Amino acid sequence: MASKTCFFLSVLIFVSLGYHTCLAARHLLDTPELSAPPPVPTIPTLPKPTLPTLPPLPAVPTLPQPTLPPLLSAQLPPLPVMPTLPKATLPPLPATQLPPLPVMPSLPKPTLPPLPSITSIPTIPTIPSIPTIPSIPTFPTIPSFSPPPSN
C-alpha cells in the first residue's frame, strides 16, 4: 500500500514539474525579438593623476677589494705501501672412501594387452542448418514535441 502511495506521489510531482517547464518554453516563444540591443552607456574619462617626481637615488660608494692570503702549496705525504701477506698452505684433505651405493634390483618390463582393433568409424549424423532470422522492420521515429509557433 505504501509503495503505491509513493509511486502516485512521485508521478504527481513529475507531472507538475513538467507542466511548468512547458509554460516557460511557451513564454520564451511568445516574447518578441528585439531589433537592436539598447545602447551601452559611455564611461566618462577621468583626469590622469600627476605623480610627484622622486629624488634621484644616491650613488653606491665603491668599497675596497679585500686581499686574500695566498694558498699554501703543501705536498701531501706519499701513501704507505701495503705489506704482502704470505700465502697460506692448507693440509690435504683426508681421503675417506664412501660406501658404494646399493644396487637397485631390476624390474621386469610390464606388458600391456593388445588394443582392440576398430574396423570402421561410426558415422556422425549431420546437423540440420539453422534457419535464418528475418530482419526486424524499422519503426518510424516519433518527432519531438514542440509548442505551436506564436503569431
Side-chain angles (χ1 to χ4, degrees):
M1 181 69 183
S3 65
K4 288 182 182 178
T5 305
C6 183
F7 174 73
F8 287 124
L9 183 63
S10 64
V11 168
L12 180 66
I13 291 172
F14 178 73
V15 168
S16 65
L17 290 176
Y19 181 70
H20 291 299
T21 308
C22 289
L23 283 179
R26 178 66 189 189
H27 286 300
L28 282 176
L29 286 175
D30 286 342
T31 56
E33 290 186 24
L34 298 176
S35 59
V40 179
T42 58
I43 299 173
T45 58
L46 298 174
K48 297 207 180 233
T50 57
L51 297 175
T53 58
L54 296 175
L57 292 174
V60 179
T62 57
L63 297 175
Q65 294 294 332
T67 57
L68 297 175
L71 293 175
L72 299 174
S73 60
Q75 291 288 338
L76 293 177
L79 293 175
V81 178
M82 293 293 290
T84 58
L85 295 175
K87 292 200 174 200
T89 56
L90 297 175
L93 291 174
T96 57
Q97 188 68 25
L98 294 176
L101 293 175
V103 177
M104 296 293 286
S106 62
L107 295 174
K109 297 215 174 212
T111 57
L112 297 174
L115 292 173
S117 64
I118 299 175
T119 56
S120 66
I121 299 175
T123 59
I124 300 173
T126 59
I127 300 173
S129 64
I130 299 173
T132 59
I133 299 173
S135 64
I136 299 173
T138 58
F139 292 103
T141 59
I142 299 172
S144 62
F145 295 109
S146 62
S150 62
N151 292 334

